[in-house]
Every structure is written in structure tokens, then in C-alpha cells.
Amino acid sequence: MRVLERAEEPELRKAVIGALGEINSPEAAPAIARGLRDRDAEIRLAAAEALGSIGERGSVSALLDAIKDSNAEVRHAVVSALGQLADRRAVGAFAAALSDTDVEVRRAAAEAFGNLENQRVAPPELLRALNDRDAEVRHSVAHALGHIEDPDAISALVVHVRDASVEVRRAVVEALDNFDDPSVTTALRNALRDEDAEVRHAAAKALGNRNRSK
């Protein structure tokens, strides 16, 4: 850590941060976190990536302070790091990141919601993100909504049984398997006629699960 404090050259600071991240030492996290405020974007990026690798929950506050970094790559690394930490203090930050101008940031935020435990309410931003123009974002959002199991997500998921992306349709059908509602049963029956065999298989499986539970 002393080497990092004394390093004046950006490349040296970046190398030291990378090395500290590789050894996964929680004791190094505070020193690395200071790199999130560095004037050099590459240093901030390296710091965010290292903190995600180390997984020290004490880094959450520093990462949250960096969530609006001017550099898209840094924002992506920060959201990804918070997603790896899976700390519910970051829920608001994930929700805000779903409207980021950079698609990679939005993808990381959607994936992060799928990692959270004991999150039983789907924020409005997450429901709206099911209409994101990027299919990967919609796929991760569908997965997250199935994980969260908030009944308020049912209507949004049902609409996307006909999503243009087959991967999204599969994720939506799998997510709907977690809900018990007449509209879900109708949507799953419609999915039995999907052009994709895997979607049809997922729908049949979900309907079978519902029949066995009765």
C-alpha cells in the first residue's frame, strides 16, 4: 500500500492497483478506493475493477460515490463491482444506471439486480428497462424480475412473451414460471406456439410445474 501512496507515475499506480487486486487482499481496499478519485480515468478504471475482484463490502460507499463518473468505462466497472458485492445499499444506484447512455452500464445494472438477495420489490426503473432497446439488457431484466418475484412485474413480463429477441422470450417464460396468476397461464399457453423450440419447451415445463402444484 505504501508503494501506491508514493507512486507518482500513472502507469505505476495502475500497475500497483492491478497487482493489489490480483492478490485479493481486503486490507488493500481502502488504498485502492482512493484511486477512484484519481484524475486519470485509467487509474479510476483499474481501482473499480480491483475493488470488484477483492469483494470487500467496506468499499461500497467509495464505489457509490464514483457511480456518476464522467467516463463510461469507469461507470461500467463501478456498477459491475457493486454487482459483484451484491449489497442492497446499491439498489438506488443500479436503478439509476438502467437509464445510462452507455449500453454496457445498463447491462451491468440489469445483471446486478439478478445478484441481489432478499430483494422482493422491483423498482419502477427495472420494470421500464424491460423495454430497453438492447436485447441483452431486456434479457437480464427478465432474469432479475423472475429472481425478485414481485407480482407487479407480471404485466410487464407477459407483454414480452412476444419480444423480438428469442433469448428475451426464453428468459421471460422462465421468469413467469415463478408467478401464479391467470394471466401468466394464458401467456405460457401462447408461448407453446412460439417459433423457437426452446421457448416452447420452457413454456411446457412451466405449465407442467403449475399443474403439479395444484
Side-chain angles (χ1 to χ4, degrees), residues 19-104:
L20 290 172
E22 287 181 5
I23 64 175
N24 291 326
S25 173
E27 291 78 12
I32 294 174
R34 287 194 283 275
L36 293 171
R37 300 191 299 272
D38 198 280
R39 62 182 178 277
D40 189 304
E42 290 193 10
I43 302 299
R44 302 196 302 275
L45 175 62
E49 292 175 341
L51 291 174
S53 177
I54 292 172
E56 170 57 45
R57 286 182 178 268
S59 304
V60 170
S61 295
L63 286 165
L64 287 174
D65 288 341
I67 200 75
K68 294 182 180 180
D69 195 280
S70 60
N71 184 282
E73 286 188 82
V74 175
R75 293 199 304 277
H76 173 251
V78 168
V79 173
S80 294
L82 286 167
Q84 289 173 269
L85 291 168
D87 193 301
R88 294 186 71 256
R89 286 176 290 175
V91 168
F94 295 150
L98 287 170
S99 60
D100 197 278
T101 56
D102 185 83
V103 66
E104 295 295 340

